Amino acid sequence: MPLVVPGIMTNSGGDKTEEWTNKLVGKKLSDEPSNETTFCKTELPQQTRVVEPGMMVTKDHVPDRLNVHLKEDGTVSHVSHANHTPRNPPSLTASPKQKLKSSIQRSLRNSLLTTYPLLTPYIDEILPKKASLDQVKLPDRVSLFVIEGRPLFFQQDNNGVLVPHLRLVHRFPQAFPTVRIDRGAIRFVLSGATLMAPGLTSKGGRLPVPTERAGEPVAEGVPNEGVDEDGHWSRELEKGEPVVVMAEGKEEACAVGVLVAGTKEVKEKGKGPVIEEAHFLGDGLWNLGLE
C-alpha cells in the first residue's frame, strides 16, 4: 500500500498554493471527514509534509510538495510549495566546524546513551575520550556533531532529541529502534514525505512486536530490547521517540525520523501520519561535505 494517500495537483504553482491556502488555513487536520473546522488527512495530496511548531525539517527541494504549517493549537497557519526544479543536487549551507568543550562533549555522550542505551558497548568507538567532537551549525537552528569529518548525530535548538546521522546508523544498525515500510512507500520516503500508517501496517511493513522481557536490563544501563528473528523491534515506541526507517527488500536504513504517533496507536488506528522525517538518503545532510 502507498505511504500516503494519493492526490493529484494539476494547477500551476501559485494557483496550487492559493487553492490549498483556501482549503486549509484556519482548520485542523483530522482523521474524520472534512467539515467547516477540520480537514481530513486522507484528502491531502500525495506529496505532503506537515510541519509542526519547532519541528526539525530538511531543506531539500521536492518539486510540488505541499508543506502544511501548523500553529501551537494545531490549526493550519499557512501552506507553501516547492515548484521549480533545481539545477543542482540538494545542498545545505554549513558553518565552519567549532570544537566543543570537554564538558559539553560529556553531556552529549550521556544524552546519547540515555536516548540509545544499546550504543553502550560501542560508545568508546563512536566518541573516543581523547577525540575532539566538533559542532557544525546548519539552517533552522540545527547542530550537526562530527568527529574527524564523520557525521554522528544532530540536534535542533541545542536541547532537542539527538537524532543519529544515517552514516552512524549504517555502522551500528542493531543499536537503534526501527520500523519498516513496504516497497510502495520507498519513493515517498526518499522525497521527504511524511510517513503515513498504511506504509507501515501493510503486509510489507513492520511495526514492533513487544516481548515479555522487553526493557528489563541485561546489563547496567542496557535494556533487554532489540530486533527479533523476524526483524520486529521488541517494544512499542512512544510518540516523540526517534526511529530508524528500514525498507522492504533493502538491507540498510533509508531514513531517520521522529514519531508523531506511538506504534501501539498506529496499530489500533491504521491511518494518519506516523513519522516526520528529519533525514533521508540523498538529502542535503547526507550529501553535506565535511572535509
Side-chain angles (χ1 to χ4, degrees):
M1 296 181 68
L3 179 65
V4 294
V5 179
I8 299 176
M9 298 183 293
T10 57
N11 297 336
S12 63
D15 291 341
K16 286 187 295 183
T17 302
E18 182 178 358
E19 175 189 351
W20 284 103
T21 295
N22 293 334
K23 287 182 177 181
L24 296 175
V25 170
K27 294 186 176 183
K28 293 185 177 182
L29 301 181
S30 171
D31 294 325
E32 303 301 323
S34 299
N35 56 40
E36 292 182 356
T37 60
T38 64
F39 190 89
C40 184
K41 296 172 184 175
T42 60
E43 297 179 32
L44 292 171
Q46 191 176 59
Q47 293 278 17
T48 296
R49 177 168 64 181
V50 178
V51 183
E52 298 180 1
M55 190 185 82
M56 184 183 300
V57 295
T58 60
K59 282 296 185 181
D60 300 304
H61 177 90
V62 179
D64 293 324
R65 178 171 63 194
L66 174 66
N67 297 297
V68 180
H69 299 262
L70 303 184
K71 299 179 182 178
E72 292 289 348
D73 63 0
T75 58
V76 177
S77 62
H78 64 286
V79 303
S80 61
H81 278 98
N83 301 305
H84 306 290
T85 303
R87 296 182 179 180
N88 301 312
S91 61
L92 287 176
T93 301
S95 69
K97 296 176 187 176
Q98 178 182 356
K99 186 176 296 186
L100 295 176
K101 296 179 180 179
S102 57
S103 59
I104 297 177
Q105 293 190 44
R106 287 194 298 270
S107 176
L108 288 170
R109 179 188 177 104
N110 292 336
S111 295
L112 193 65
L113 290 178
T114 299
T115 308
Y116 309 104
L118 295 184
L119 281 177
T120 300
Y122 317 106
I123 193 63
D124 288 335
E125 180 180 351
I126 297 169
L127 292 172
K129 293 182 178 179
K130 294 185 178 181
S132 176
L133 183 65
D134 296 324
Q135 179 184 37
V136 177
K137 293 185 178 181
L138 304 175
D140 291 329
R141 306 182 307 280
V142 174
S143 293
L144 174 66
F145 301 97
V146 304
I147 283 184
E148 298 177 350
R150 294 196 308 271
L152 298 179
F153 48 92
F154 57 98
Q155 182 184 51
Q156 189 167 34
D157 293 328
N158 292 326
N159 57 7
V161 64
L162 293 173
V163 181
H165 193 284
L166 277 171
R167 297 190 190 278
L168 181 64
V169 172
H170 291 169
R171 289 171 61 195
F172 305 101
Q174 70 278 19
F176 301 97
T178 62
V179 295
R180 190 179 77 179
I181 54 172
D182 61 25
R183 295 178 188 274
I186 295 174
R187 65 190 181 98
F188 297 108
V189 172
L190 298 183
S191 67
T194 297
L195 277 73
M196 307 296 282
L200 295 162
T201 58
S202 65
K203 184 178 180 180
R206 180 183 291 154
L207 288 166
V209 176
T211 61
E212 292 183 1
R213 300 181 62 83
E216 295 182 9
V218 294
E220 184 177 356
V222 183
N224 181 20
E225 61 183 59
V227 294
D228 63 20
E229 59 184 12
D230 295 320
H232 299 91
W233 196 253
S234 60
R235 69 171 175 86
E236 299 287 11
L237 303 174
E238 302 297 328
K239 178 180 178 180
E241 281 195 69
V243 64
V244 169
V245 180
M246 307 298 293
E248 182 183 11
K250 306 296 181 181
E251 293 185 2
E252 293 193 326
C254 61
V256 182
V258 176
L259 288 163
V260 295
T263 54
K264 184 177 180 181
E265 177 186 352
V266 174
K267 295 174 188 177
E268 293 171 350
K269 291 186 175 181
K271 58 183 180 180
V274 180
I275 301 171
E276 294 289 358
E277 287 187 271
H279 171 35
F280 57 91
L281 286 175
D283 69 3
L285 193 57
W286 177 263
N287 292 322
L288 183 64
L290 295 169
E291 298 301 328

